[in-house]
Amino acid sequence: EYIGRVADSPAVIESGALGTLLAFTGALDAASAAKIEPGLLAGVAKHPAPWIIDLRGVTFVCSTTMGMLVRVATVHAQTNHSTVLLVGGGAVEQAIRAARLDSLFRLAHSLELARDAARLPPLDGGGRR
């Protein structure tokens, strides 16, 4: 089911039996994060299921965006569902790993692997379930 866009951001949301897929494109700077975060937090309540956040089309993430992702994942984990980041390598994945967000999120390089990872319990911040 196509749900729509998050605010006026470059995000598309689809929700189905396997969970919710959010696909972002372009640069996710501080201004984008401020627009996106309220919708994402509201979406956690509306769609309590595993989430896959597709960052393969993202060209830039800033620390504000990474903080937003952490807040969304923290709220989402309280529903006992995982948030998986679908990454394609490159600078965005390097930034996520450098910020040690791989201790909060499972990272996947394909949609199939992301769906498998989304079925697992949330990580506890130390990379463990």
Side-chain angles (χ1 to χ4, degrees), residues 94-118:
Q94 288 175 352
I96 288 167
R97 289 188 186 278
R100 304 203 31 96
L101 294 188
D102 53 346
S103 68
L104 295 171
F105 298 96
R106 288 184 175 85
L107 304 183
H109 290 101
S110 73
L111 187 54
E112 181 180 333
L113 292 173
R115 286 187 172 139
D116 289 343

Side-chain angles (χ1 to χ4, degrees), residues 55-89:
L55 300 175
R56 293 176 296 178
V58 173
T59 56
F60 171 80
V61 293
C62 67
S63 59
T64 303
T65 300
M66 288 191 265
M68 173 202 67
L69 291 172
V70 169
R71 288 185 293 278
V72 168
T74 300
V75 171
H76 196 214
Q78 293 171 359
T79 69
N80 202 33
H81 290 98
S82 290
T83 304
V84 177
L85 299 181
L86 182 53
V87 294

